[in-house]
Amino acid sequence: MASSSIQIRTPEEAVARIAYLASDVVISVQPTLKDDSAFSTHLNRYAGRKDPSLICKGDGAVPEIQSVRHNNDPLLSVFAPIRSGRLTSVTTTSNVLLPSIAHLYKLANYPVVIHVSLHPAQFPDYSAITAIRNSGWTFLQSESLQEAQDMAITSHALAVQSGKGVIHYFDPGSCSLDKPIAAEDASIVRELLTIGDVRRFQAALIPSSTLYADDGMAAVASNRSEPLINGASATSNSLADSTILDTTSKATPSEGSSASQHSSSSAPPSVSSATTLDDAPPVVTSEDIYKYVTAIWAQLKVLSGREYSPFEWSGPRSADKAIFVFGSDAGLFAEALDAARSSDIYAKSGMLTARLYRPWLGAKLIEAIPKSVKRIAVLEQVSRKTTKWGPLLIDVLTSVKSGFGGVEHIVGYQLGYIAPETISQALKGVFQNLTSPKPLQNLEVGKKDGPADVASFRLGEPKLETAYTKILDQLFGNRVYIANALKSSNAGVAATVASSPEFGFGSLLARKENRQRLVKEVKNIVASPRNPFVSQTKHWLTKWVETINSGLKVDDVAEEVVSRLERDGTSVAQGLLEKKGLFRKESLWLVGSDAWSYDLGNSGVHHVLASGENVNMLIIDSTPYSERAAADASRRKKDIGLYAMNFGNAYVASTAVYSSYTQVLQAMLEADQFDGPSVVLAYLPYFGEHESPLTVLQETKKAVDVGYWPLYRWNPQNETKGEPNFSLDSELVKKELKEFLARDNHLTQLMQKEPAFAANLAQDFGTEVRAQQKRKARDAYMQLLEGLFGAPLTVLYASDNGNAQSVAKRLGTRGRARGLKTTVMAMEDYPVEDLPTEENIVLVTATAGQGEFPQNGKPFWDAIKDNTELDLASVNYSVFGLGDKHYWPRKQDKVYYNKPAKDLDKVLANFGAKRLADIGLGDDQDPDGYQTGYAEWEPKIWSALGVANVEGLPEEPPPITNEDIKLASNYLRGTIVEGLNDHTTGAISASDSQLTKFHGTYMQDDRDVRDERKAQGLEPAYSFMIRCRLPGGVATPKQWIQMDDISTQLGNETMKLTTRQTFQFHGIVKGKLKPAMQAINRSLMTTIAACGDVNRNVMCSSLPTQSQYQKEVFAYSKIISDHLLPSTTAYHEIWLQDDKEKKQIAGDAVQDFEPLYGPTYLPRKFKITIAIPPHNDTDVYAHDVGLIAIKGNDGHLVGFNLLAGGGMGATHNNKKTYPQTGRMMGYVSKEKVHIACEKIMLVQRDHGDRKNRKHARLKYTIDDLTVDGFRSKVEALWGDAFEPARPFHFKSNIDTFGWLKDETGLNHFTFFIENGRIEDTTDFQMKTGLREIAKVHKGEFRLTGNQHLILSNVADEDMPQLKELMKQYKLDNLQFSGLRLSSSSCVAFPTCGLAMAESERYLPVLISKLEACLEENGLRRESIVMRMTGCPNGCARPWLAEVAFVGKAFGAYNMYLGGGYHGQRLNKLYRSSIKEDEILAIMKPLLKRYALEREEGEHFGDFCIRKDVIKKTTDGQNFHDDVAEEESDEE
């Protein structure tokens, strides 16, 4: 690329040329792949000529130009080339920066250069730069054509030398009048680039680690060289010892992060394959960046004569006033200042601009400002400020105020658009305010909006980027046309155009008229006797006219027509191509907000509906359910859905993407196909601009579940098909919603009569009904007690997990036996106004959360705590509380122990009530738990009431236990069938809910909406979880599709891959439970014994690299599973038998027989797993029986080492419970292994603890009997003996991701499925993608024990098609941190009834907050096993993780450290009940310490033990010993 004759005319051309010369790969971000950007025209020209790059190696040294659409996540394309040792640059507009901020943080420590043309043109928004200023990149600004070229060279040289990313930004409009410049000589560019550094980076490939398969993802690094001036070292550059210039120029953690750049040529101690150059990698500081950039500029000065500095000052050095300009065309201000007359208020003033914007070098700014300057005006062209003060103003204030102190006033201004003719007036206004005694801050200078940019915008077409518009784009592609987008007052989305429905409707009508004119034009051309076209163009135009009204068929013809016109070349064809979008049948949409639901917009909606035109309205309602009353207190929203249905000619749908993604798709497709107006109401609740998806999900579920936002579809054209017009899609509330609609009809009539009371009537009706229900229930019960003798006793309870309720009911039963008139009820059901009339009242309360009342006690507490009118002088009372004094171990948290009970006791005493007995406190730490305190307290109550010594009290029946339920169940039948046929409730009985576990299903309720449903007077949102039994986790593609169908049609549209290698479905309502079971069995799977006190799903290592050996081992997982299956026929009778089959009658009861289990089955669950060394990917130590496959000398399976007594369940603060690892029993041959498993299970059946379920697992049986004692019992029952264990070795317990080839030549790809959740979102169509893959896949799917998925047995010839599908659905993306890839979690909220804290929904968020720290310390690719569970039952096996978080209360976790990387060692408690801020404060320094101090090959858990961060756990029985304590918290 000769430079002597080249004339550069635009900054984009200057930048494109330098990027081409200095890169191996250039990512060209374009509007579309067909439409060039201002950069790509030049890049493609160079590449087309095969001009060589200065740095490329290989054929022709031509860099690769990758064109990427601006809305296709362009920065994702940078990871692969930069990590494979190819220097990569990006040319783009500023539009892509904010959506790519997550990538920016991750790429900051790679030598990537991003050249940014600020947009919109004419008047760019610099907030795109300020918003990402703390992402860790270096920022350079250019303001002229020559500077654009020089800063582009600087950027590439700086990136290579520092190892950090550089963003070079400029406003192309400010250079529009610049004269052309000469292209910089290539030899100068080469000298500045320091080719030696380039070659070192290109050579520094990082080999793959055990976590990542060798799939081309290897990270790369470079050595940071000394900055050179004329070939000499400018500084010793001892970066590890470098100091920051001053406090104001210190880099933030993200800005001054470690470059994570390492050489592969040396190997100091390290776990990672990306080894470091030094034991402690030096951090690139602000000073380092300054040294590099000034050295580059010094070279540039010597070579070209042009000089640059971090901050540029122009004006007299004696100036006492100055402006700091951060915006477009600073030259306009400079010219005005230079031309100032002596009488101008801004005469003899200076100007500052930032050349090096980040890192912010405060000391260099102070050096640039003359000592004479007293006042500075900071002008910022930032449209979307996130704080009151502009970002540059804060920077300047921080730097100057800590400097020499000469500047007295710093004043911020919002810089708008200023035309050249008004610059003097603008400067006058700036300086008049600046020089006033009390200058005003944040004044606006110039016009808020710049001139219209015709090239960038089209009238009425900016898109509202929400989940719904993304779906429109996915469904209709280039057919969709959105006329407008309207921002709701509550919508947490970027503002685009605030326009009315009338405007949008007019725009759509204009669009339709344009198409009609095109049709007329084409008809005239076709009818013309002259043929202006070549080839077959006229034939296809004729065909298009014929199919114009044929629906979607016209689209196929339109594609061919456009293709023909593009090849035709005639002037007529070119004219038609200008309207090519109109050839397709467009899907026309107006996008608006809930503002259209009020009178202001309703007339416009009326016009659309009344017109009958075939247009679609998408109306997004963003009012959160929790704020619905406050948002609409005085003026009621109109229900556009009902309004539109009354017209009779409109399609109407009510949707919520966070409730049912599938229903949204269906509604939009139906709206598009409907011939007439359509209204799609879309719910997307936002409290604020950056609301988390979890909050949006929870608000949506509340709104849908209680009927506030029902999901439905109304299609008046269905009548012609004989189908119902109305379809209600919100399954959970069908019955309640029908009642609500009937009531609503009645209320509507009342409201029409009394409009003034309409709002209050609707709001208060439900509240009044619930109050009357309480009163009627109370009165009815009191009438029943009238005929009884004895003193009255009212017992109220607030229960969290059932214990307080049990205590209250037992107290009530014992009171009645003593002749008392006893009432027992929940506190929330008690009318508080009756409290002064009570004679004797006892209150029993548990402790929830952080010293809070349980949910069913909160209304009672809220009613009395601040009450000033209660007089309880005649009331006798006592309080009993249930708590755990060690639940919150820190001193400042002791107040939470039994806090609700203590608060009640205090408040009632303050109201004058007299104590029957002092408060009783039950403590879980006591020998018998809360029963110890209760046994002391209860007799005091009877004594105070005079009924302590009553004779002839009946014996109390013992509480019904799980053993009783099993024994009475007739081999797992119970009354399950009767419960399924009871349509009055969504639940089944408590005893049946224990039995259904044996059938593979748990009853659950949605805890996200539990409180709201209770407040609405509804029962919990009951549904069922179903778990399949799938030995070894192997499924066929057909089975995958069938599982996908079940989740979509019968479940909540998601699937869960569990930590036990099987499928799990959630959200299945009772009415769909049996169809789901039958569908699973039709797929040749089952659910029997997937849960319950039986042997559950048998796991087996997936091991894709040893396919034949894995098949041998896998076969035994099925043999063991089948051998230990329950024999009862109850499963077939209940779930698979057709309702029409013969029913059993009395006297014909089935007499089942369980040869292995007996009528009471096992004391507790029983789990078996198989691991294939060297991979312990099934956590073999964590199960009741762990089998370690042993390979013979011939390479085939010979037998197993057998471990027994592993188990993960525990109870917080109960030291009698603990996790345990399996103990070695010995070796057993493969032929005998199923018998050995059977005998171990039978010994557990006969010797396990059936009285205390917390002590019932096999681990406790072995600990009670001792290992040798247990082994002897097994061998005696077996009649055989274990052989000595054989050698084996484990390397890890994680999965290996990416493509792998086995010994037979077949291929396997491991997908990363975060926490096992298979679902579709608007950004990631995972579920759809996997279904499409299953349709063509010829091998099998393997579910892993770490919740991931392996696409197995792929032939080489089938790989291209599968790779294309994976790419299409982004399923080939493995660009995740080692920590994320090694993580797993349980489900927890909202469905698990045992969860105390979030898990699946929170762990990804926590990891994201740690990943910057990992990058900073060079640990991004390090595998650190992190697990999270919502409770201590251990479903995700947290006790074996190197770092684990176990839920303690909502938002609080116990933290454990020191688990074995191979899954061989338990961890230990490090901190108790910590929240996110504490977690991050602990983890970040610990990770940094690990990066600096680890030994070669040392894993994180081992490091924590070696450094005495935590003590080593050698056995489950010392799990609670020597736990770490924070002494400062206890003092």
Side-chain angles (χ1 to χ4, degrees), residues 883-955:
D884 185 338
K885 69 171 60 166
H886 287 175
Y887 203 85
W888 302 92
R890 301 181 305 181
K891 186 175 181 180
Q892 65 265 36
D893 294 335
K894 298 295 185 186
V895 66
Y896 301 134
Y897 169 61
N898 261 317
K899 187 175 185 295
K902 294 174 182 176
D903 288 346
L904 268 177
D905 183 65
K906 182 179 178 181
V907 168
L908 293 174
N910 290 341
F911 288 139
K914 303 178 186 67
R915 289 185 177 90
L916 284 167
D918 289 339
I919 184 173
L921 299 178
D923 185 359
D924 280 352
Q925 295 302 312
D926 287 337
D928 294 319
Y930 68 83
Q931 299 284 3
T932 302
Y934 181 79
E936 298 174 0
W937 172 82
E938 184 189 314
K940 298 176 183 177
I941 300 297
W942 306 139
S943 179
L945 293 172
V947 291
N949 301 312
V950 176
E951 296 181 359
L953 291 175
E955 288 189 14

Side-chain angles (χ1 to χ4, degrees), residues 453-475:
D453 182 3
V454 179
S456 300
F457 298 98
R458 286 180 287 172
L459 184 63
E461 201 181 0
K463 293 183 179 180
L464 186 67
E465 285 298 328
T466 70
Y468 295 100
T469 51
K470 288 179 183 177
I471 292 174
L472 286 177
D473 189 53
Q474 291 165 7
L475 284 176

Side-chain angles (χ1 to χ4, degrees), residues 765-826:
F765 182 81
T767 307
E768 182 60 28
V769 166
R770 288 190 293 278
Q772 289 181 10
Q773 287 173 341
K774 284 185 183 181
R775 168 60 52 206
K776 286 181 178 179
R778 169 96 171 133
D779 292 347
Y781 192 81
M782 293 309 296
Q783 286 180 3
L784 287 175
L785 295 177
E786 281 301 315
L788 299 179
F789 296 98
L793 174 64
T794 298
V795 183
L796 304 182
Y797 64 84
S799 186
D800 190 37
N801 59 10
N803 286 338
Q805 181 178 358
S806 297
V807 168
K809 289 184 176 180
R810 182 169 59 188
L811 189 69
T813 301
R814 292 177 176 178
R816 279 190 289 274
R818 285 169 166 78
L820 301 176
K821 293 189 290 187
T822 307
T823 307
V824 181
M825 67 174 65

